[in-house]
Amino acid sequence: MKHSEGIEAAIHVATMLAALPEGDVLPGKSLAQFHGLSPTYLSKTLKQLVAAGLFQAVSGPTGGYRLARAADQITLKDVVLAIEGTGPIFRCGEIRQGGKGAPGPEAYPVICNIHAAMLRAERAYRDALAEITIEALVGEFEKEGTGAAKEWACVFLTEAGRKQNTNSREGPQNDTAT
Amino acid sequence: MKHSEGIEAAIHVATMLAALPEGDVLPGKSLAQFHGLSPTYLSKTLKQLVAAGLFQAVSGPTGGYRLARAADQITLKDVVLAIEGTGPIFRCGEIRQGGKGAPGPEAYPVICNIHAAMLRAERAYRDALAEITIEALVGEFEKEGTGAAKEWACVFLTEAGRKQNTNSREGPQNDTAT
DNA sequence: GCTGATTTACTCGGATACACACTGTCCGAGTTTAGTTGG
DNA sequence: CCAACTAAACTCGGACAGTGTGTATCCGAGTAAATCAGC
């Protein structure tokens, strides 16, 4: 009952992409360097986020990743489910009717109350995650972060960020400079 | 991010022990048979619950397990933490300052907001679990369960339950019949 | 018949294999850029 | 000088090992009850 390491990376990367100018992309290699992670393993996590429809990937020398939706339309719940899978935390094996000699399923018409209690807790967890959007996290960092930390992130975004001519979420950017 | 299978068994066993007359014990073998589980593996789970101080174990031919505390003093949170460990679900690796060239820890005086958000969700989860006591689960079963299911459980408790002369939680039972 | 030690059978507890998922890595397919060559 | 072609470099994506936790099992230490011998 522990989250995989990739969860932390996925959320941090998502906030980075959210802080990026609309349509721009960040390559996985740069993201790994910025966070001090293995590029090859981070790509595995990023792949999952693309498969889940949260990120978009662009190939080629100027390629990278960007958010597939607006940052206020992506929650921590989305990210967690993309990495950990959408299956339930608690899997009820109906062991209450597993013993030899136990009455059949007709004797258990309602859901196991233990199962129900665990589902309530699981729902509380995911609801709490669903309340936090990536945009909110970026906003908190902008407000609470120290000067050095913000500058460090800003420099990274400026250096590693890449304009994209083909922008699927908006029209092409007018700004073509560098 | 899934619970181990033992969680379900642990909770069901706890409710069984709670339904038992005060001080009586149930052997692990019987508990496994009633739930259709492997006795050897269930013993591993029970061992964890004893180590956590939730259950008490009695050796010998008339031995078994019983609750170490009153059923209303044991919550689902206690059981889950006993099996899964008390460590946090989300482990923050501080990757925000992991990159080469990143500013030192003094640039990050406050907790990572991502970490904080995950902690809030985790707290919501455990709070929800802490609200459910084993006694409440037994009460729900008594109220909602069907006649066949309740009778099946009652027969099991009667047949497998064992009186204990040395009762650490209360004085010896006067009832010596059967 | 009663008392006592002895034997037995049953219980829990720790130590030991097996399997799956997470972690970590490599190489290949695809695309854009830059360079080069010909007109 | 311009345009088109070619080659190269960089990106993501899928396939392939290593490791740690969870799963499953067996055997040994300890205890209460039942048995049996002796009084």
Side-chain angles (χ1 to χ4, degrees):
Chain A
M1 176 57 181
K2 287 185 174 62
H3 275 306
S4 64
E5 294 282 338
I7 290 285
E8 183 181 9
I11 301 173
H12 275 277
V13 166
T15 60
M16 276 292 157
L17 297 183
L20 207 60
E22 193 89 11
D24 288 11
V25 299
L26 277 172
K29 190 178 179 181
S30 301
L31 287 164
Q33 284 180 343
F34 180 75
H35 293 104
L37 301 172
S38 161
T40 52
Y41 182 52
L42 180 62
S43 73
K44 194 178 178 69
T45 300
L46 294 170
K47 195 193 313 178
Q48 292 179 279
L49 293 163
V50 171
L54 299 182
F55 288 5
Q56 283 181 342
V58 178
S59 294
T62 60
Y65 296 93
R66 69 184 159 212
L67 296 184
R69 303 199 296 264
D72 60 353
Q73 297 298 313
I74 299 178
T75 68
L76 286 187
K77 180 185 174 187
D78 297 323
V79 177
V80 169
L81 292 185
I83 302 298
E84 305 283 1
T86 57
I89 298 175
F90 177 84
R91 292 157 291 177
C92 181
E94 285 290 337
I95 64 174
R96 61 177 173 173
Q97 46 180 311
K100 194 171 188 308
E106 64 275 6
Y108 303 94
V110 297
I111 186 174
C112 172
N113 54 2
I114 292 172
H115 187 188
M118 296 301 289
L119 281 180
R120 281 199 300 273
E122 184 173 334
R123 181 155 196 157
Y125 180 65
R126 295 191 169 167
D127 285 350
L129 290 179
E131 287 178 2
I132 312 293
T133 67
I134 300 300
E135 187 176 46
L137 291 174
V138 175
E140 286 180 19
F141 178 73
E142 295 283 348
K143 190 174 59 180
E144 300 176 3
T146 65
K150 279 193 286 191
E151 185 179 356
W152 163 241
C154 185
V155 167
F156 166 72
L157 289 173
T158 303
E159 290 182 355
R162 293 171 174 179
K163 300 292 179 188
Q164 278 289 312
N165 294 331
T166 61
N167 189 330
S168 66
R169 282 174 59 205
E170 281 194 0
Q173 304 286 315
N174 293 332
D175 184 0
T176 59
T178 298
Chain B
M1 175 57 182
K2 286 185 174 62
H3 275 307
S4 63
E5 294 281 338
I7 289 285
E8 183 182 9
I11 301 172
H12 275 277
V13 167
T15 60
M16 275 293 158
L17 297 184
L20 207 59
E22 195 89 11
D24 288 11
V25 300
L26 277 171
K29 189 176 179 180
S30 301
L31 287 164
Q33 283 180 342
F34 179 75
H35 293 105
L37 301 172
S38 160
T40 54
Y41 182 51
L42 181 62
S43 73
K44 192 178 179 69
T45 300
L46 295 170
K47 193 194 313 178
Q48 293 179 280
L49 293 163
V50 172
L54 299 181
F55 288 6
Q56 283 181 342
V58 178
S59 294
T62 60
Y65 296 93
R66 67 181 160 216
L67 296 184
R69 302 201 296 265
D72 60 353
Q73 297 298 313
I74 299 178
T75 67
L76 287 187
K77 180 185 174 186
D78 298 323
V79 177
V80 169
L81 292 185
I83 303 297
E84 306 282 1
T86 57
I89 298 176
F90 177 84
R91 292 157 291 177
C92 182
E94 284 289 337
I95 65 173
R96 60 178 175 173
Q97 45 179 312
K100 194 172 187 308
E106 63 276 6
Y108 303 94
V110 296
I111 187 174
C112 173
N113 55 3
I114 291 172
H115 188 186
M118 295 301 288
L119 281 180
R120 280 199 299 274
E122 183 173 334
R123 181 156 195 156
Y125 180 65
R126 294 191 171 168
D127 284 351
L129 290 179
E131 287 178 2
I132 312 293
T133 66
I134 300 301
E135 187 176 46
L137 291 174
V138 175
E140 285 181 17
F141 178 73
E142 295 283 347
K143 190 173 61 180
E144 299 177 2
T146 64
K150 279 194 285 191
E151 185 178 358
W152 164 239
C154 185
V155 168
F156 165 73
L157 289 173
T158 304
E159 291 184 355
R162 293 171 175 180
K163 300 292 178 188
Q164 280 289 312
N165 294 333
T166 62
N167 188 329
S168 65
R169 284 174 56 205
E170 280 197 0
Q173 303 288 316
N174 292 333
D175 184 0
T176 58
T178 307

